[in-house]
């Protein structure tokens, strides 16, 4: 009677290496897509801060003849950064008139959002009751329409 050698359980080294290679390939493909989705999600921080400034400007103008020329009091606690700290919020120099203004949300250099080179600055232009959404890339060049930074 022949005795069979005992069966071994587990994986061989080759099977483990193949599995690791497949996981590495999948991770290499998925990681940039994941990072892009996270950057898009953080843009909501800028959108919320811009919306707060717009609402505060409209409240200000409802009691006066023009919009507020500085940021004091437009965001809670006189902040000049977005709630999560990813964007610096400002009014564009010389943009405030009796009928309009431009709000900018510029990515903070120390923020993880600094890698968002497509939407480095998000802006809203209010002029004569019309609102225009736009953005600038890291080279301060306006993004072409349709703007990739504003999801509607």
């Amino acid at each position: 009677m022949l005795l069979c050698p005992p069966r071994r359980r587990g994986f061989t080294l080759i099977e483990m290496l193949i599995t690791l290679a497949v996981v590495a390939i999948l991770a290499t493909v998925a990681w940039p897509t994941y990072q892009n989705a996270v950057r898009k999600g953080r843009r909501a921080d800028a959108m919320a801060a811009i919306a707060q400034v717009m609402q505060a400007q409209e409240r200000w103008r409802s009691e006066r003849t023009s919009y507020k020329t500085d940021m004091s009091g437009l965001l809670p606690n006189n902040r000049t950064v977005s709630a999560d700290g990813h964007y610096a919020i400002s009014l564009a120099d010389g943009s405030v008139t009796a009928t309009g203004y431009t709000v900018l949300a510029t990515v903070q250099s120390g923020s993880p959002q600094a890698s968002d080179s497509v939407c480095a600055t998000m802006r809203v232009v209010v002029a004569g009751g019309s609102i225009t959404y736009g953005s600038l890339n890291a080279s301060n060049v306006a993004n072409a329409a349709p703007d990739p930074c504003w999801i509607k």
Side-chain angles (χ1 to χ4, degrees):
M1 175 186 259
L2 293 171
L3 292 176
C4 295
R7 281 192 114 174
R8 295 184 190 170
R9 295 181 185 203
F11 300 105
T12 66
L13 181 60
I14 296 295
E15 291 170 330
M16 291 292 285
L17 289 175
I18 290 171
T19 303
L20 286 175
V22 169
V23 168
I25 291 169
L26 289 175
T28 302
V29 171
W31 186 253
T33 304
Y34 169 74
Q35 288 296 318
N36 191 36
V38 169
R39 277 191 293 276
K40 286 170 111 175
R42 286 191 195 119
R43 290 179 196 151
D45 187 35
M47 293 174 190
I50 288 173
Q52 285 180 321
V53 169
M54 291 172 67
Q55 290 172 356
Q57 282 286 44
E58 292 307 320
R59 282 191 303 273
W60 177 271
R61 189 164 190 284
S62 71
E63 300 172 0
R64 294 164 184 85
T65 59
S66 65
Y67 291 105
K68 191 163 176 51
T69 58
D70 62 13
M71 286 293 296
S72 64
L74 293 179
L75 288 175
N77 302 322
N78 286 324
R79 287 190 336 253
T80 56
V81 296
S82 59
D84 292 339
H86 297 299
Y87 291 88
I89 309 299
S90 63
L91 296 170
D93 292 336
S95 72
V96 181
T97 65
T99 60
Y101 57 91
T102 300
V103 183
L104 302 173
T106 306
V107 72
Q108 296 274 64
S109 61
S111 166
Q113 192 66 6
S115 64
D116 190 2
S117 60
V118 175
C119 303
T121 301
M122 298 181 70
R123 69 177 173 194
V124 172
V125 178
V126 176
S130 176
I131 300 172
T132 306
Y133 299 91
S135 62
L136 306 172
N137 63 25
S139 302
N140 263 352
V141 176
N143 288 316
D147 194 287
C149 303
W150 290 91
I151 300 168
K152 297 183 178 161

